[in-house]
Amino acid sequence: MKTKQERYRKLFLSTFQLSACTFGGGFVIIPLMRKKFVEELHWIEEQEMMDLTAIAQSSPGAIAVNASILVGYHVAGLPGALLTVLGTVLPPLIIISVISFFYAAFRDSAIVNMTMAGLLAGVAAVICDVVITMGKGILREKRLLPAAVLFLSFAAVRFFEINIIAVILVCGVIGAADTLLRERAGKEKL
């Protein structure tokens, strides 16, 4: 019983700390969650984290909350999902509540404005890290389809300004078809 409580406590505190020290949204918290739960705690495998990230991104709602739900559920079931959601949502709620009391002072502060501009540079670096890390995992598979989908999705959004929802839906259909074909090919080999 004690180890279960310790795991719950560690799960809550990990997501609370990650959320409290993360600026820039879900794309910033994902690599930090990966580092914590995959590399440090070894509670999740690398491929599982990539899968959970993909599900979190394609689900409606905030990516950080979606990812925390999935990670918490994967690690400790429904209680884990509830604890990670609470750990993820509490820090921004507390910070926003405090800021709302002092909004007028913060709004006009040159120091706060410069700090926010500096944080944007850090957020951009972390998002680049996510793209490179996840891209390496896809390219390591040495399969043409995932790499082609990666580059075509980027081109569709960046250069042709195709709606991201359409890109996600098309990628989902391609992924489902690829999985079905690979499973069918695997059964035929048996």
Side-chain angles (χ1 to χ4, degrees):
M1 185 74 164
K2 188 176 181 184
T3 49
K4 193 180 261 191
Q5 289 176 345
E6 288 175 8
R7 182 172 276 222
Y8 289 156
R9 186 179 63 75
K10 185 76 168 172
L11 201 55
F12 173 78
L13 289 176
S14 295
T15 53
F16 187 89
Q17 290 168 344
L18 290 174
S19 184
C21 300
T22 304
F23 294 92
F27 290 111
V28 177
I29 202 170
I30 296 293
L32 299 175
M33 289 177 91
R34 184 187 147 278
K35 184 172 181 69
K36 185 67 159 182
F37 296 114
V38 174
E39 294 178 9
E40 290 178 23
L41 298 174
H42 305 288
W43 287 351
I44 301 175
E45 297 295 321
E46 180 77 33
Q47 184 60 45
E48 290 173 323
M49 188 66 197
M50 287 181 63
D51 293 342
L52 294 175
T53 301
I55 294 168
Q57 288 176 314
S58 59
S59 300
I63 294 171
V65 174
N66 291 344
S68 69
I69 290 170
L70 295 169
V71 167
Y73 188 80
H74 183 78
V75 170
L78 185 59
L82 294 173
L83 286 170
T84 54
V85 167
L86 193 61
T88 302
V89 171
L90 274 178
L93 182 66
I94 293 167
I95 291 168
I96 289 171
S97 297
V98 170
I99 289 174
S100 70
F101 286 116
F102 305 104
Y103 177 71
F106 283 134
R107 182 187 61 208
D108 299 329
S109 172
I111 293 172
V112 170
N113 288 331
M114 287 187 288
T115 302
M116 290 300 173
L119 287 174
L120 286 177
V123 168
V126 172
I127 290 174
C128 286
D129 178 58
V130 171
V131 170
I132 291 168
T133 302
M134 293 182 77
K136 276 192 228 176
I138 290 170
L139 295 175
R140 270 191 217 126
E141 291 181 18
K142 295 185 180 177
R143 291 184 50 233
L144 181 61
L145 184 63
V149 169
L150 173 74
F151 291 113
L152 290 173
S153 297
F154 173 76
V157 173
R158 177 68 177 101
F159 301 116
F160 300 109
E161 298 180 8
I162 295 175
N163 188 323
I164 190 71
I165 295 171
V167 172
I168 290 171
L169 291 174
V170 169
C171 288
V173 169
I174 291 170
D178 180 49
T179 301
L180 289 173
L181 291 174
R182 286 192 300 135
E183 284 180 1
R184 191 172 290 159
K187 287 179 183 177
E188 290 176 3
K189 287 183 181 178
L190 297 174

